[in-house]
Amino acid sequence: MINHSVLKSGTHSSQPDRSASIATLVIVAHPDLEQSRINRRLAEELERRGNVTVHRLYETYPDEKIDIEREQALLLAHDRVVLQFPFFWYSSPSLLKKWMDEVFEFGWAHGPGGVNLKGKELIIAISSGGSPSMYQAGGFHNYSYSELLRPFQQTANLTGMIYRSPFIIGRIREVTDEQLEKYAAEYANYVEGEKVVTGTSA
């Protein structure tokens, strides 16, 4: 079952309902994006439509020396922030963690005077090799995706951002080309501000 934006392989149904456009920044953090069938296709679909800013983090900073002022300016120029990444060891790839550590500065993103992210939306978009049943109490990983993504939700809480439902593609090794095209379209619809109507399929 799809739960709002949460998309898992094998069950999926959506109908877009266009809403007002919102300036959206998508941070794509994959250490080898060209070799990633899922994340590359999602990013390509967003770039093909041309309605959002796609920022490929590892390509921008191959030396991992982050331009903090540039990144903060990007954040200020957008009202919705999407963090797209493969779910590595229950977290994000290391460069995205470093990006958050350095860009979400005390006094800028939180703490006294740190109000620059307040009111902006935050969406987490992840790809995972595990099946949905593995991410639940009693499953192989013991905890649900929502529980494992709590640090990102708390980051939104701390910075005054609005945490929206994550977009999740599971069982990535089993996703067919046809399914991937549908997932890419649903992802772009969600990121661009279109509402995903939940549903189930046999």
Side-chain angles (χ1 to χ4, degrees):
M1 177 182 292
I2 303 171
N3 180 11
H4 293 93
S5 63
V6 181
L7 189 159
K8 295 173 178 143
S9 63
T11 59
H12 113 205
S13 171
S14 71
Q15 296 176 340
D17 177 22
R18 293 193 177 275
S19 59
S21 177
I22 181 171
T24 301
L25 173 65
V26 181
I27 305 291
V28 180
H30 195 297
D32 193 2
L33 187 61
E34 290 309 306
Q35 297 302 313
S36 170
R37 177 170 166 261
I38 302 296
N39 281 274
R40 185 183 71 247
R41 181 66 191 93
L42 297 184
E44 287 173 349
E45 181 63 21
L46 294 175
E47 291 170 332
R48 184 188 69 79
R49 296 191 183 196
N51 298 324
V52 304
T53 302
V54 178
H55 186 25
R56 300 187 177 201
L57 209 58
Y58 276 89
E59 292 181 19
T60 304
Y61 300 111
D63 57 1
E64 300 197 3
K65 295 181 180 178
I66 297 170
D67 185 336
I68 296 173
E69 290 187 1
R70 176 193 179 187
E71 298 302 308
Q72 290 178 342
L74 273 173
L75 289 168
L76 289 173
H78 297 84
D79 297 314
R80 175 181 295 150
V81 180
V82 181
L83 303 181
Q84 177 190 323
F85 57 91
F87 201 44
F88 286 172
W89 282 105
Y90 313 111
S91 187
S92 67
S94 60
L95 184 57
L96 181 56
K97 177 61 167 63
K98 182 178 182 182
W99 179 87
M100 294 179 71
D101 287 345
E102 296 185 5
V103 177
F104 288 15
E105 290 182 307
F106 182 81
W108 189 86
H110 63 102
V115 297
N116 289 289
L117 299 179
K118 186 175 181 180
K120 297 181 184 293
E121 295 182 2
L122 178 64
I123 297 174
I124 305 301
I126 63 172
S127 56
S128 168
S131 66
S133 63
M134 297 174 71
Y135 286 90
Q136 61 184 16
F140 183 82
H141 296 291
N142 296 304
Y143 302 98
S144 67
Y145 284 115
S146 62
E147 289 175 300
L148 293 170
L149 291 173
R150 286 285 169 78
F152 294 98
Q153 185 172 8
Q154 178 54 24
T155 296
N157 293 339
L158 181 65
T159 58
M161 301 180 80
I162 301 166
Y163 186 79
R164 294 190 57 186
S165 299
F167 188 96
I168 302 167
I169 299 180
R171 289 181 172 174
I172 58 173
R173 297 172 187 84
E174 302 174 23
V175 174
T176 67
D177 290 344
E178 182 180 4
Q179 287 173 326
L180 181 54
E181 291 307 304
K182 291 179 181 178
Y183 293 174
E186 284 202 340
Y187 176 57
N189 289 344
Y190 185 50
V191 166
E192 290 174 352
E194 299 179 359
K195 182 180 179 181
V196 174
V197 179
T198 64
T200 60
S201 62

